[in-house]
Amino acid sequence: MKNIKQLRLSVLMTIMSATLVLSACQPVHEDANVTEKAAVASDQNTVAGTPSIDAHAGHAMSDDTITDMQQAYNDSMTHMHNEMMAGMKYNDPDAAFAQGMLGHHIGAVDMAEVQLKYGTDKEMLQLAQNVIDTQKAEIEQMQEWLASNPDATEPTADTDAVQKAYADGMDAMHSEMMAANADTNPDRAFARGMLSHHVGAVNMADVELKYGKNEEMRKLAQAIIDAQQSEIEQIQDWLSKYNE
């Protein structure tokens, strides 16, 4: 339970910190109060215990406000966080995986829909549509499985280890995704964010293969690894060419 509380605080503060950094990229008016600057610095110092975020990596902020696209990604992150936190509280490793991955997939679909709205690159638009098609089907599978496989009423021998593994992976994923969200280029923001998201999914699936026992969920975990590892390589290749 301690891991869950620490993760909730860490992720929420990561989101707040990234939003502050995005806002800090706005031009400062000459008559801005010095105390306001100090307040921002103080807020950023309060998140010193969370993973560092290079919100300026790969781009230069050109707009003087957070874009609608960036706000949409922030909203999707918050939605995904809330959904995944439910799985973090589960005792049974298989149920924890299903509930956590359900929230993770919902986040991927939200991100892909943002890309379809704002992106222009054909390859990334097709990837976004593939993510929606594949992960919506898996969302339905996990919802059906969870309906007939409730969580264990008491912790198992692996509950603490599973929760810690998910907490560590989720914390790292959110930090990297928020850094990607600072990119104002829609296609690159999607690629960078989905790359971190897919890495997070593979890590979660690895945890299920290590601790899970349910055959269906273990097969799903392996299917996720196979599909998303391939897309990870695709995104890495696209980013290397895009940044040339």
Side-chain angles (χ1 to χ4, degrees):
M1 188 62 67
K2 182 179 179 181
N3 288 330
I4 296 173
K5 290 180 180 178
Q6 289 177 333
L7 175 64
R8 182 183 293 276
L9 178 62
S10 176
V11 172
L12 288 176
M13 295 185 76
T14 296
I15 293 173
M16 291 172 61
S17 177
T19 302
L20 284 169
V21 172
L22 287 172
S23 299
C25 292
Q26 302 176 25
V28 179
H29 298 294
E30 292 182 0
D31 58 351
N33 194 305
V34 174
T35 59
E36 291 178 353
K37 297 179 183 178
V40 172
S42 176
D43 287 340
Q44 291 173 333
N45 287 337
T46 64
V47 295
T50 62
S52 61
I53 304 173
D54 182 7
H56 298 273
H59 85 292
M61 272 290 183
S62 57
D63 295 336
D64 58 1
T65 61
I66 296 175
T67 68
D68 290 342
M69 177 203 72
Q70 290 171 321
Q71 186 59 57
Y73 277 131
N74 271 343
D75 292 344
S76 73
M77 286 272 298
T78 301
H79 185 198
M80 179 177 67
H81 163 73
N82 292 337
E83 294 288 342
M84 291 182 68
M85 284 305 301
M88 288 292 300
K89 301 175 184 177
Y90 277 32
N91 293 313
D92 177 71
D94 295 300
F97 168 73
Q99 185 64 51
M101 189 61 76
L102 175 61
H104 195 269
H105 273 28
I106 289 172
V109 171
D110 287 345
M111 292 172 63
E113 289 176 345
V114 174
Q115 169 63 7
L116 291 182
K117 182 175 181 179
Y118 295 101
T120 58
D121 181 84
K122 290 183 178 180
E123 184 177 354
M124 289 300 101
L125 288 170
Q126 184 59 57
L127 176 61
Q129 189 60 57
N130 292 345
V131 166
I132 291 172
D133 294 342
T134 300
Q135 300 205 19
K136 275 190 172 181
E138 292 177 343
I139 285 172
E140 293 179 3
Q141 177 186 358
M142 287 182 282
Q143 287 172 330
E144 292 177 1
W145 187 89
L146 284 164
S148 57
N149 292 272
D151 186 29
T153 57
E154 298 292 336
T156 70
D158 295 324
T159 295
D160 286 345
V162 170
Q163 289 183 350
K164 184 180 187 306
Y166 284 146
D168 291 345
M170 189 173 169
D171 195 17
M173 179 187 69
H174 274 77
S175 296
E176 293 170 2
M177 288 177 65
M178 289 309 297
N181 187 30
D183 199 322
T184 55
N185 180 285
D187 298 303
R188 193 168 56 212
F190 170 73
R192 292 174 61 192
M194 192 58 74
L195 176 61
S196 300
H197 192 273
H198 273 22
V199 170
V202 170
N203 290 338
M204 290 177 66
D206 283 336
V207 174
E208 168 63 10
L209 292 180
K210 182 175 181 179
Y211 296 104
K213 297 178 176 61
N214 180 270
E215 183 178 357
E216 182 179 355
M217 288 301 99
R218 287 177 59 82
K219 285 183 178 179
L220 176 60
Q222 188 60 59
I224 287 171
I225 292 172
D226 295 341
Q228 299 203 22
Q229 189 61 52
S230 175
E231 290 179 345
I232 285 171
E233 294 172 3
Q234 177 188 357
I235 296 171
Q236 289 173 329
D237 183 60
W238 184 89
L239 283 169
S240 67
K241 294 177 180 177
Y242 193 93
N243 292 327
E244 287 179 354

